[in-house]
Amino acid sequence: MTDAPLPYPPLELANRVGSLAEAADPMETYDELGRLAYAEIVARLPSGWTFPGKRILDFGCGGGRTLRHFAKEAAEAEVWGCDIDEPSIAWLGEHLCPPFHVFLNGPEPPLDQPSASFDLIWGISVFTHLATTWSAWLVELHRLLRPDGLLYLTFMGRGTSEWIAGEAWDESRVGMNVLRFGQSWDMGGPMVMHSPWWIQEHWGRAFDIVAISPDGFGKDPAFSHGFVLMRKKDQAIDAEMLERLAVEDPREARALAHNVSQLQTETEALRGDRDYLSSMLAESRVQTQNAEAQLADLSSKLSVLEHSKSWNLTRPLRSAAHRIRVVKRGAERSNS
Ligand SMILES: C[S@@+](CC[C@H](N)C(=O)[O-])C[C@H]1O[C@@H](n2cnc3c(N)ncnc32)[C@H](O)[C@@H]1O
């Protein structure tokens, strides 16, 4: 491998994993965010953990914003990336492989990789958007990890509450709360908020929590994500087991009730938007119909006029008047 700088993806792909619209230098910001993610991941690895000979996966790598910073490690380890976005994976395959390996995956498991084959998997801003498939994906990542394998995930919690949920952070009413359900990836996808206690309770059934923080991941403290480093528990798990409510913890019910009220607020706003757009549409339909009726009326008047006797009788007069106007204009031009 040479030390030549790695190429950057087209702005469209870079922008897809986080808006760069406000950035003075979009590619510098893209690079900085990836560098920060790299530094965060590496800083959390247990002391003595080294890369040589390891297999590593960036789950949901997008166009390689984080992955690209592991080029040095990729000379000694097998570093993989996967994503559901075909253009991102195609670009990575063409421009950053080698040193990396990438593959496209579907929106639901499995990944086409052998069980117990990865030492470290990370997912940066991925479980922050998995509203319905999170448990199946955790089971899949658990399958892919070697015994004692590490999983590093970021989540949205305290640092993103004002920004995403428009409310002050209160962890007693947030477990796994889903907002903007069904939002397309072009618009950022669904938004999932987590509290550390909920992660500990549910994700902790499949993994030992090595470290967890409600915020601190990312550039801007106003938008900072939480992160969790987990170690695979050597036991059989399934999605149902991860989802089961901890009924003895009153925060579960409180968080669910709060999520219902958040979704009601969203639904109300969406209905308001829909009703407004419907009324605008109805109004523009009426205007179109009126314009069409006026046009039809004028056309029929014109047609009557063109077939009338007086119109035909006066045709020579109109033609003479036209010729006089032409002669006059010619004379005026030659006098001037
Ligand atoms: C906010 S972006 C972050 C990208 C990348 N991790 C980074 O830090 O630059 C989230 C990424 O997760 C990907 N993604 C969403 N659901 C996925 C899934 N089920 N499997 C793999 N990738 C997924 C999206 O396509 C998108 O590229």
Side-chain angles (χ1 to χ4, degrees):
M1 201 194 93
T2 70
D3 285 339
L6 297 175
Y8 287 103
L11 185 58
E12 191 191 336
L13 294 186
N15 215 20
R16 190 185 157 271
V17 293
S19 174
L20 298 167
E22 309 274 300
D25 182 342
M27 280 310 160
E28 174 48 35
T29 302
Y30 180 80
D31 200 47
E32 187 186 4
L33 292 171
R35 235 180 303 121
L36 280 171
Y38 166 85
E40 280 288 344
I41 294 167
V42 171
R44 301 297 156 199
L45 294 174
S47 68
W49 199 97
T50 55
F51 282 91
K54 301 271 174 41
R55 278 189 99 232
I56 290 150
L57 174 64
D58 181 340
F59 175 65
C61 62
R65 184 174 60 175
T66 302
L67 188 69
R68 58 186 296 111
H69 296 279
F70 284 86
K72 189 163 59 67
E73 287 77 4
E76 312 174 308
E78 220 179 275
V79 185
W80 290 77
C82 68
D83 203 285
I84 51 172
D85 187 50
E86 202 273 328
S88 297
I89 292 300
W91 186 86
L92 281 172
E94 194 175 330
H95 298 277
L96 297 190
C97 297
F100 303 108
H101 311 263
V102 294
F103 62 96
L104 185 67
N105 67 272
E108 285 176 28
L111 296 181
D112 189 15
Q113 291 287 332
S115 299
S117 62
F118 285 99
D119 300 278
L120 168 67
I121 300 177
W122 65 76
I124 309 300
S125 296
V126 182
F127 278 73
T128 45
H129 306 287
L130 299 182
T132 56
T133 55
W134 67 271
S135 50
W137 277 116
L138 267 193
V139 171
E140 178 63 355
L141 299 186
H142 185 273
R143 176 185 77 80
L144 293 182
L145 282 170
R146 292 196 167 124
D148 287 346
L150 294 171
L151 178 59
Y152 180 97
L153 299 174
T154 62
F155 60 92
M156 292 197 291
R158 185 167 72 187
T160 51
S161 186
E162 294 283 359
W163 173 40
I164 298 296
E167 62 185 25
W169 176 247
D170 175 356
E171 79 156 32
S172 75
R173 59 184 185 179
V174 178
M176 174 187 158
N177 292 26
V178 176
L179 298 166
R180 303 182 212 169
F181 183 76
Q183 181 165 261
S184 76
W185 275 104
D186 295 340
M187 304 287 290
M191 297 287 162
V192 183
M193 310 275 307
H194 288 101
S195 274
W197 65 262
W198 193 93
I199 288 177
Q200 202 113 31
E201 174 60 49
H202 291 264
W203 300 3
R205 293 171 192 167
F207 300 91
D208 289 318
I209 310 287
V210 179
I212 186 162
S213 171
D215 47 26
F217 182 99
K219 182 179 171 217
D220 190 336
F223 309 116
S224 92
H225 285 46
F227 61 85
V228 59
L229 177 68
M230 306 186 287
R231 195 187 297 280
K232 173 178 174 167
K233 276 184 182 168
D234 194 12
Q235 63 180 66
I237 58 157
D238 59 39
E240 208 180 312
M241 169 189 169
L242 300 184
E243 288 173 18
R244 188 177 21 85
L245 294 181
V247 284
E248 65 287 356
D249 187 338
R251 290 175 298 186
E252 284 270 25
R254 213 176 299 143
L256 286 172
H258 184 55
N259 202 184
V260 169
S261 110
Q262 289 175 307
L263 294 175
Q264 282 171 343
T265 306
E266 279 193 352
T267 308
E268 198 174 30
L270 287 172
R271 272 194 206 290
D273 290 350
R274 189 202 58 183
D275 292 349
Y276 173 72
L277 289 173
S278 296
S279 73
M280 296 294 287
L281 190 63
E283 200 177 303
S284 68
R285 279 208 186 104
V286 169
Q287 282 173 1
T288 307
Q289 277 166 3
N290 287 345
E292 280 169 357
Q294 277 176 12
L295 190 62
D297 186 40
L298 286 173
S299 297
S300 83
K301 281 183 179 145
L302 186 63
S303 168
V304 168
L305 187 64
E306 282 173 351
H307 293 96
S308 68
K309 233 184 224 168
S310 63
W311 181 263
N312 285 323
L313 282 174
T314 54
R315 190 188 302 278
L317 287 177
R318 286 199 305 281
S319 150
H322 174 69
R323 279 200 300 277
I324 290 167
R325 275 199 300 277
V326 172
V327 170
K328 250 183 157 177
R329 267 203 297 273
E332 276 164 11
R333 243 180 260 128
S334 57
N335 285 343
S336 60

